[in-house]
Amino acid sequence: MRAARPQAETTVAALQQLDAALLRPDSLYPALGQLPLVQLQALYRHRGQCRAPWPALPADVLRFERALCDGEALPPAWFAAHPIHPLGGSYAWHYLQRHPESAPALQPYLHLRERPAAFAGIGKLGDDNLAALLSGERWLLDGGDLWWRDGASWRRYGAEQWRPLAEAAGLALSPLADGDACPQPLGRICARPLPPSPRWWRSLAGVSLLAAAGMLAYGWLQRRRLERERRFVLQMLTHELRTPIAGLGNVVEDFRAGFDQLPAGAQQGFGRLADGVLRLRQLADASRHYLAADSRLEAPQPLPLAAWLDSVAERHGAAYCLDQDRKLNLPVYWLGLCLDNLLRNARQHGRPPVRILASWKNGRLRLAVSDGGALPRYRLSLLRRELGASAGMGLGLAIVRRVMARLGGRLTLEGPPTTFALELPCDDIAD
């Protein structure tokens, strides 16, 4: 292996010169352990508005946000002292979104994932392999590439390089999953001896080895996908729990002084308390079912469409149009969550009037939320990148998009006028 020429190579010393936070995969996610969720949400919503009042944030975060608003140039030493932004990613990356001309000077302060071509492509490693590299492992297998730490350097070999060498040594290499029995582990790789076989069996053995590696890779990818889905739901539930928790807190504070002394009007806070408890219970049940790996987020329930739209429209002060009332089998809670997100975005970031257009055709329900506003481009793939950071729409739209995909539906965008539509397969009970 040492005699073979690697596809790419980087020195260990170059990696050790980086701040440790610029290497860890979790640095790309919001810093929920450093700032409360309320402060992170305030920072996300206020990003790019550049007007008072500024939210209550740590001094270095406020300094950075004010510098972006005022067009102030920050020296490289500032980014060296402040590597990771609370919203995830490096301060340098957030700065370059406004000042791309500073890219050459700020390259040393970017996270590995924000410059995947640097350091022989180490930034392209998966989270598990990157964490294994940081913990001191010397052998990694990622996407068909073999990584080997040879003394003071990391070397990357393509499959066409290392596989013939492994077969010549009588070994088959594959990713090592947690709990797998392995006769000869090499870090995150399992080296299994190839059984002696006649020459004409070698091609069949190679095909079997590839199939086994494919199955292991498929199982690993499935586990990764399930972990990402669970993490997403937990983030979403945290996002949605803000309102009921705040309501419960206010009511408890009201009642703390003494319930018997409160006037009759204040005693009606019991209604708000009961509503918050009910919603918390729904969220807890949804989380429990999802984390138990149920195939669906929620069992559909029979629902009169007009009655449900009446309550939604009244809650958001919007008008709706329904071509014909039907009784449909719908995932009420999750569909309501998606529709509430779209209506809140339309009220906060669009222009009146806000309308809901509902229709059912050929087994698909379409709920369209339109307003009088306009967007620079009507493409969902570009909307989060262009408006998400400044307008505060990114997190809500990400939730809607992921939930609709899990329900077998989709989120679409068209305009002008700006119209977000939820499309979902469902059954008409009458049919």
Side-chain angles (χ1 to χ4, degrees):
M1 182 70 76
R2 184 173 286 109
R5 182 181 180 86
Q7 286 185 345
E9 184 176 5
T10 187
T11 63
V12 176
L15 295 173
Q16 292 175 342
Q17 290 176 0
L18 298 177
D19 190 289
L22 298 177
L23 302 173
R24 295 195 302 268
D26 57 0
S27 298
L28 296 174
Y29 302 103
L32 295 173
Q34 298 179 13
L35 291 180
L37 179 62
V38 174
Q39 285 188 312
L40 289 175
Q41 291 166 341
L43 173 59
Y44 189 87
R45 288 192 299 267
H46 199 275
R47 168 65 69 86
Q49 294 182 1
C50 297
R51 66 172 183 268
W54 289 84
L57 296 168
D60 54 347
V61 179
L62 280 178
R63 167 74 193 288
F64 180 76
E65 297 298 326
R66 290 179 183 272
L68 287 184
C69 289
D70 299 338
E72 177 187 351
L74 294 173
W78 194 92
F79 296 97
H82 305 83
I84 298 301
H85 194 279
L87 292 179
S90 65
Y91 272 101
W93 182 87
H94 287 272
Y95 187 79
L96 290 178
Q97 305 312 299
R98 299 280 188 91
H99 303 282
E101 70 281 357
S102 302
L106 297 184
Q107 286 296 312
Y109 312 109
L110 291 173
H111 192 278
L112 274 182
R113 290 283 173 77
E114 296 163 353
R115 41 176 170 164
F119 302 105
I122 284 181
K124 298 178 183 178
L125 289 174
D127 286 357
D128 291 342
N129 278 326
L130 186 55
L133 180 147
L134 298 177
S135 66
E137 296 289 357
R138 297 180 61 246
W139 294 89
L140 303 171
L141 188 58
D142 189 277
D145 290 338
L146 179 67
W147 291 81
W148 175 39
R149 178 174 175 176
D150 179 22
S153 64
W154 272 99
R155 296 183 170 193
R156 173 167 58 86
Y157 299 88
E160 68 280 1
Q161 294 176 290
W162 64 263
R163 187 168 286 124
L165 296 175
E167 292 177 355
L171 296 174
L173 304 184
S174 61
L176 178 60
D178 293 337
D180 286 352
C182 179
Q184 188 175 348
L186 297 173
R188 300 286 298 179
I189 301 176
C190 181
R192 293 181 173 87
L194 289 173
S197 59
R199 186 179 184 87
W200 59 277
W201 276 95
R202 291 183 180 177
S203 59
L204 180 60
V207 172
S208 301
L209 179 61
L210 289 177
M215 292 178 62
L216 289 173
Y218 177 78
W220 180 76
L221 289 174
Q222 288 295 99
R223 285 192 293 269
R224 288 291 308 280
R225 182 190 63 80
L226 182 59
E227 290 172 0
R228 288 196 299 268
E229 292 289 346
R230 289 177 175 176
R231 186 185 307 117
F232 164 73
V233 170
L234 290 176
Q235 292 173 345
M236 179 182 58
L237 292 177
T238 302
H239 178 67
E240 284 299 312
L241 278 171
R242 293 177 305 163
T243 302
I245 289 177
L248 284 172
N250 292 336
V251 172
V252 170
E253 290 299 326
D254 291 340
F255 291 159
R256 181 177 297 176
F259 179 80
D260 294 335
Q261 287 74 32
L262 292 176
Q267 294 179 1
Q268 295 179 359
F270 271 125
R272 290 182 293 153
L273 179 61
D275 181 70
V277 171
L278 177 60
R279 191 170 183 189
L280 283 173
R281 185 179 297 113
Q282 289 175 330
L283 288 170
D285 290 343
S287 178
R288 178 174 57 84
H289 291 311
Y290 189 92
L291 294 177
D294 287 346
S295 60
R296 297 181 61 90
L297 288 177
E298 175 191 12
Q301 304 174 17
L303 179 69
L305 192 55
W308 181 63
L309 288 175
D310 282 337
S311 65
V312 174
E314 181 180 358
R315 185 166 65 251
H316 291 276
Y320 77 89
C321 177
L322 176 62
D323 57 352
Q324 181 181 352
D325 190 17
R326 297 175 182 272
K327 194 171 185 180
L328 305 177
N329 268 332
L330 295 173
V332 181
Y333 174 75
W334 296 103
L335 186 59
L337 184 148
C338 294
L339 189 57
D340 286 343
N341 264 291
L342 295 185
L343 288 168
R344 282 197 296 267
N345 279 344
R347 279 204 327 270
Q348 296 174 7
H349 309 293
R351 294 183 180 178
V354 177
R355 299 186 180 93
I356 307 172
L357 305 178
S359 60
W360 184 90
K361 184 178 180 180
N362 298 328
R364 293 187 70 86
L365 174 65
R366 187 175 190 271
L367 298 173
V369 176
S370 64
D371 63 77
L375 297 173
R377 298 184 186 179
Y378 286 89
R379 288 183 57 187
L380 276 174
S381 59
L382 300 176
L383 181 61
R384 185 176 180 184
R385 184 163 62 241
E386 293 186 353
L387 295 180
S390 60
M393 300 171 63
L395 183 57
L397 289 180
I399 290 174
V400 173
R401 198 170 186 178
R402 293 288 296 275
V403 169
M404 291 303 295
R406 287 284 294 167
L407 294 174
R410 62 173 184 162
L411 170 67
T412 62
L413 170 62
E414 57 190 40
T418 301
T419 302
F420 288 90
L422 306 174
E423 297 181 2
L424 180 70
C426 60
D427 298 327
D428 188 338
I429 296 180
D431 292 342

